[in-house]
Amino acid sequence: MERKKIAFVIYSLESGGAERVITELANNLILDYDVYIITLVKTNPFYELNPRITLRYCSDVIKNDTTPIKSIYDGLNRVRTLSKILKENKIQLVISFMTSSNIYSIWASKLSRIPCIVSERANHDIYKLPKLLEVTRDISYRFCKYLVVQTEANKIFYSKKLSPSKIIVIPNPIAEALSFKRNKEPDRLKNIILNVGSFKKGKAQELLIQAFSKIKNEDWQVVFVGDGPTKKKNIDLTKKLGLEKKINFVGKQQVIYKYYNQAKLFVFTSEHEGFPNALLEALYFGIPTISTNCKHGPTDLIKDKENGFLIPVGNQNVLQKKMSQLMNDIVLQNKFSENAMKSTEKYKITSIVKLWENYITKLV
């Protein structure tokens, strides 16, 4: 039987959450479909792709200098180019990620007379779009077959804009490379409180530093994995509190599983999220976890007092209490660890691919 042809569309294949998810999905769907990935600009893939996946691109160069008129002209050209690629390769379904790519894909699919699924990753309660782009998005999304979002909160947001029956919640999968690296041998664990994520506005790592400085921490240390613009501010705070020997900033790490396998606690301090991949990964690795109850994501992943603690955003006093409680209660640590691993089994790539396939098979 002839294999169906599907194409993913995204701006580029550099490092990033959406790029990783497309790579994971494509690598798994290639078993049953002919899979293409079409990028708006030519890039070398950051993540490892199955060699059977076909890569195409719309443009050689990134357009930096632009005006509103030129943007419209360039957008129309991208739609035409994308439609031409779809027709030449006899693509039967388009799956697009991220707002601008989604808009181009919807109209290119209309020109090619094939269905289109779009996926939104951002929390647009926080990350506001320019008004013209927002209006264009809201009009365009009415013409997609399905809109995939990562959280229930995002479904509520988009339900004000299009029919809820079109909106599907499919979370990110655990990275396949990570899913085989979990090692819960007790002798691997150290008195480490781990935080993973970019250092930028809204991540609020300073909350953890300040809370740690106020509790009994003689035998414990904090490890921050990640880089970004607010990192220096947090290093300066660490020095000011005299915690240089207790708090380590290790930067970005390719072998992140080593940190997940060693930590006894994971503390997540974000003020807002799109979908918290690091939080999902920590729970998958069975790390007893404390997370702020921010929009969007933590409530999708944590049931308070069952597989972790949820605390109010920015509340240092509650964080201190929960950290002290968890650091000193091995029974509670074990309960959270076991329940966290059970609750995240459904996020394995095979389960997430099945959710996508439910809708792919309906359209091809």
Side-chain angles (χ1 to χ4, degrees):
M1 193 170 79
E2 190 179 355
R3 284 158 61 95
K4 304 292 186 182
K5 294 186 174 186
I6 63 175
F8 289 94
V9 178
I10 193 167
Y11 180 78
S12 78
L13 278 175
E14 294 177 350
S15 70
E19 293 82 355
R20 179 184 69 78
V21 172
I22 278 186
T23 302
E24 300 266 0
L25 291 174
N27 284 343
N28 280 269
L29 290 167
I30 194 68
L31 300 173
D32 299 307
Y33 301 89
D34 287 344
V35 179
Y36 293 69
I37 298 179
I38 306 168
T39 56
L40 300 187
V41 296
K42 186 178 182 180
T43 48
N44 293 319
F46 179 83
Y47 304 101
E48 189 175 343
L49 272 175
N50 186 304
R52 292 165 58 200
I53 295 165
T54 305
L55 290 177
R56 295 285 183 267
Y57 58 91
C58 295
S59 173
D60 274 304
V61 292
I62 298 170
K63 296 178 174 65
N64 291 319
D65 299 325
T66 191
T67 63
I69 297 296
K70 194 168 184 303
S71 290
I72 293 169
Y73 176 78
D74 289 340
L76 291 171
N77 265 344
R78 274 191 171 155
V79 170
R80 279 195 289 267
T81 304
L82 188 52
S83 178
K84 184 182 177 186
I85 294 170
L86 297 175
K87 288 175 181 175
E88 284 176 350
N89 292 283
K90 297 183 170 60
I91 302 299
Q92 293 162 282
L93 170 68
V94 172
I95 303 170
S96 175
F97 279 53
M98 312 298 279
T99 307
S100 295
S101 301
N102 292 346
I103 292 168
Y104 299 140
S105 296
I106 287 168
W107 296 110
S109 299
K110 294 293 282 183
L111 284 174
S112 306
R113 298 183 178 179
I114 59 174
C116 181
I117 299 173
V118 298
S119 179
E120 270 290 355
R121 328 299 291 171
N123 172 0
H124 286 307
D125 280 337
I126 302 295
Y127 300 108
K128 303 292 185 185
L129 297 176
K131 193 63 185 174
L132 180 59
L133 183 57
E134 183 184 341
V135 170
T136 306
R137 176 200 67 191
D138 292 350
I139 292 170
S140 301
Y141 280 16
R142 294 173 194 166
F143 296 93
C144 71
K145 289 295 183 182
Y146 296 108
L147 167 63
V148 175
V149 295
Q150 299 162 289
T151 62
E152 291 295 337
N154 243 0
K155 180 172 183 176
I156 292 167
F157 175 85
Y158 281 103
S159 292
K160 300 166 191 166
K161 301 176 181 297
L162 68 160
S163 170
S165 63
K166 273 191 172 187
I167 306 169
I168 312 152
V169 178
I170 302 180
N172 282 353
I174 298 286
E176 197 160 18
L178 276 180
S179 64
F180 302 109
K181 299 293 187 181
R182 186 168 68 190
N183 185 338
K184 294 315 294 176
E185 295 170 15
D187 60 353
R188 293 178 63 91
L189 296 176
K190 299 178 182 177
N191 286 349
I192 290 172
I193 300 166
L194 182 65
N195 176 281
V196 176
S198 302
F199 279 88
K200 60 184 180 181
K201 187 179 178 183
K203 293 294 185 179
Q205 285 98 336
E206 66 276 5
L207 187 73
L208 172 53
I209 296 169
Q210 288 161 343
F212 184 70
S213 74
K214 298 289 186 183
I215 61 177
K216 292 178 74 173
N217 61 35
E218 289 82 2
D219 301 324
W220 289 78
Q221 58 177 308
V222 174
V223 174
F224 286 104
V225 177
D227 282 315
T230 65
K231 184 177 175 181
K232 185 180 182 304
K233 182 183 81 172
N234 282 276
I235 291 173
D236 291 344
L237 175 61
T238 298
K239 291 176 180 174
K240 181 181 173 184
L241 295 170
L243 293 170
E244 302 99 308
K245 293 182 180 178
K246 306 284 293 180
I247 297 181
N248 301 308
F249 296 84
V250 298
K252 280 187 179 179
Q253 295 290 323
Q254 286 283 359
V255 285
I256 184 69
Y257 63 86
K258 289 185 179 179
Y259 293 89
Y260 286 138
N261 277 326
Q262 288 181 344
K264 277 192 180 176
L265 260 68
F266 186 85
V267 175
F268 194 74
T269 53
S270 286
E271 295 169 349
H272 51 78
E273 282 289 332
F275 184 87
N277 290 317
L279 180 59
L280 170 59
E281 289 165 2
L283 293 166
Y284 177 80
F285 274 77
I287 311 175
T289 294
I290 304 167
S291 172
T292 48
N293 190 8
C294 67
K295 292 184 177 180
H296 297 183
T299 52
D300 294 63
L301 297 171
I302 292 178
K303 187 175 180 183
D304 190 36
K305 302 183 185 69
E306 288 295 318
N307 64 337
F309 281 133
L310 289 172
I311 64 168
V313 172
N315 194 315
Q316 184 183 324
N317 287 333
V318 176
L319 178 56
Q320 288 167 206
K321 289 174 185 173
K322 297 300 183 186
M323 283 171 65
S324 294
Q325 181 184 353
L326 205 44
M327 288 159 72
N328 293 294
D329 190 337
I330 294 174
V331 173
L332 186 59
Q333 287 177 25
N334 290 336
K335 174 189 171 183
F336 280 5
S337 179
E338 289 174 19
N339 289 342
M341 287 189 284
K342 286 177 188 172
S343 69
T344 51
E345 281 298 302
K346 62 186 177 184
Y347 295 97
K348 283 185 173 178
I349 184 65
T350 48
S351 301
I352 299 300
V353 168
K354 281 179 186 172
L355 294 177
W356 279 94
E357 280 198 291
N358 287 340
Y359 297 95
I360 292 171
T361 51
K362 283 181 183 179
L363 299 178
V364 294

